[in-house]
Amino acid sequence: MKLDATDLRYVTSDEFRVLTAVEMGSKNHEVVPTSLIVQISGLRNGGVNKMIGELAKRNLVSKVQNSKYDGYRLTYGGLDYLAMRALSKRDSMYSVGNQIGVGKESDIYIVADAEGSEMVLKLHRLGRISFRAIKNKRDYLGKRKSASWMYMSRLAAQKEWAFMKVLHEHEFPVPKPIDQARHCILMEFIDAYPLRQVSDVPSPGQLYSTLMDLIIRFARAGLIHGDFNEFNILIRRDTGEPVVIDFPQMVSTSHENAEWYFNRDVECIRRFFRRRFRYESALYPRFRKTLDDTADGEGFRLDVAVAASGFKQKDMRTLEEVRLCSVYVAPMDDLLSMPVSRIRQRRRGWWRR
């Protein structure tokens, strides 16, 4: 869904209290009974019913009628408002501008702080497109299918936030993380354009080497990007240097499928340079040799640092399980190099507060 922050300034504190109650009730209910919303919010019954009606008009909650009881379900719009209010109250974000990007798992917006400095807001939206088919195959949190997607989106944001912080602290070419709330991440705005939009570069060989060195540098730090391609690499307008984005799928080099992820990242870059720039090199990194070279040096493990930062291994496995069970449509080159077991596994306006 598209973010609409027009009404955010008009939502009252009590309405946010009711919206929060619906969110809290969603932890144990797919459809939250009205009586439970009243109980959690601590407001009068009549007042809650009126406020729920106002929230429903704004599509922040949706009414669901079933054979047992009537209740409400939190929408992604409601989750957006809760996250933006949290960022606003922390003075991290002041205004919301235009959408500048959309993907199968997220929406990207330009936002600004009170001084007018531009930033980027990324909203994770798992379950919207490519993962929608999983609902009919498997349920990850009991019967709460709708709530589980919001929970997974929150996990994806927490995972990306943890990786971005550690990578930025160790001077990897990634955006500076600013804040995180629920399924949203706030990061610095970089004047750059995606590599997929680049049709010509002064030296394809130099850029190719830089990107391959980045893959090696990630691996020597114990990490594999997992989706290292022209869509997740930005080129700075002023210097031409690459910046890597999108980290929810990042895995450790100790992952059971680490070599496959590593080889896929390498092959994505090789294939792009071969097709776009007619450039092909016989030199490219190998997973085993990279790990052997890492073992010979001192090395440091960023995957361990991420685990120590608070993102639990249990949450990592839960989030990965969703991705592995999604319907996977891969390029033929990927399918030919993919283990059979792996194939089976993966079936404009502004708002101001």
Side-chain angles (χ1 to χ4, degrees), residues 13 32 35 44 47 85 97 100 110 120 123 139 231 242 294 308 352:
S13 296
V32 186
S35 58
R44 290 183 305 164
R85 185 170 191 260
I100 60 173
I110 284 285
V120 170
L123 301 94
D139 186 13
F231 295 93
T294 303
R352 295 186 185 279

Side-chain angles (χ1 to χ4, degrees), residues 25-313:
S26 298
K27 294 179 181 179
N28 298 308
H29 297 78
E30 180 182 3
V31 179
V32 186
T34 306
S35 58
L36 182 59
I37 298 174
V38 173
Q39 180 182 345
I40 295 175
S41 66
L43 301 173
R44 290 183 305 164
N45 190 8
V48 169
N49 287 327
K50 182 179 179 180
M51 284 181 276
I52 289 177
E54 292 298 319
L55 295 173
K57 288 179 183 178
R58 297 186 175 106
N59 294 320
L60 305 183
V61 297
S62 61
K63 186 173 184 179
V64 181
Q65 296 179 338
N66 57 39
S67 57
K68 295 182 180 179
Y69 59 86
D70 293 345
Y72 292 83
R73 174 185 294 159
L74 184 69
T75 67
Y76 261 122
L79 192 64
D80 292 346
Y81 271 38
L82 287 170
M84 288 191 296
R85 185 170 191 260
L87 294 172
S88 177
K89 290 178 72 69
R90 295 200 290 256
D91 293 325
S92 299
M93 188 182 75
Y94 183 74
S95 57
V96 179
N98 299 327
Q99 184 174 5
I100 60 173
V102 60
K104 64 180 182 293
E105 302 174 30
S106 62
D107 290 332
I108 313 295
Y109 288 83
I110 284 285
V111 299
D113 58 18
E115 285 73 39
S117 300
E118 290 186 337
M119 300 172 291
V120 170
L121 178 69
K122 179 175 182 179
L123 301 94
H124 287 265
R125 301 204 188 282
L126 269 67
R128 177 176 60 185
I129 300 176
S130 60
F131 297 106
R132 190 175 295 162
I134 310 176
K135 283 189 176 183
N136 300 323
K137 296 184 178 181
R138 184 166 181 177
D139 186 13
Y140 297 93
L141 295 175
K143 297 181 179 179
R144 299 179 291 115
K145 293 184 174 67
S146 62
S148 67
W149 290 126
M150 294 183 188
Y151 176 68
M152 292 300 166
S153 295
R154 184 193 291 255
L155 285 186
Q158 290 174 350
K159 179 181 179 181
E160 183 164 27
W161 169 257
F163 277 110
M164 283 184 67
K165 283 189 66 178
V166 170
L167 291 170
H168 187 267
E169 289 169 359
H170 288 82
E171 300 182 348
F172 279 79
V174 302
K176 177 184 177 181
I178 297 173
D179 203 350
Q180 185 260 328
R182 291 178 171 85
H183 65 312
C184 299
I185 295 179
L186 196 61
M187 65 190 84
E188 70 168 323
F189 172 77
I190 297 177
D191 187 14
Y193 44 85
L195 179 59
R196 63 183 174 84
Q197 295 180 2
V198 178
S199 58
D200 187 32
V201 292
S203 176
Q206 182 177 351
L207 180 58
Y208 173 89
S209 297
T210 301
L211 295 177
M212 289 302 179
D213 288 344
L214 264 177
I215 294 177
I216 294 174
R217 188 181 172 194
F218 277 129
R220 287 179 175 173
L223 297 172
I224 299 171
H225 187 277
D227 201 12
F228 198 79
N229 56 47
E230 64 272 20
F231 295 93
N232 295 325
I233 298 171
L234 305 179
I235 303 298
R236 291 183 180 270
R237 294 182 187 275
D238 52 354
T239 63
E241 297 176 349
V243 178
V244 185
I245 59 173
D246 197 20
F247 308 100
Q249 68 291 320
M250 212 163 204
V251 298
S252 167
T253 50
S254 59
H255 189 279
E256 59 180 352
N257 294 313
E259 185 170 3
W260 184 85
Y261 281 117
F262 182 91
N263 291 339
R264 187 178 67 169
D265 282 355
V266 171
E267 184 56 32
C268 280
I269 298 301
R270 296 188 71 205
R271 182 170 56 242
F272 175 76
F273 273 75
R274 185 167 58 244
R275 294 176 178 176
R276 180 63 57 88
F277 305 122
R278 301 293 186 268
Y279 177 86
E280 187 167 9
S281 174
L283 301 176
Y284 57 92
R286 272 75 168 179
F287 181 71
R288 294 299 175 188
K289 187 178 186 306
T290 301
L291 291 191
D292 291 342
D293 292 343
T294 303
D296 293 338
E298 295 181 1
F300 54 96
R301 302 281 299 192
L302 291 189
D303 52 341
V304 176
V306 169
S309 71
F311 191 78
K312 301 176 183 177
Q313 191 67 27

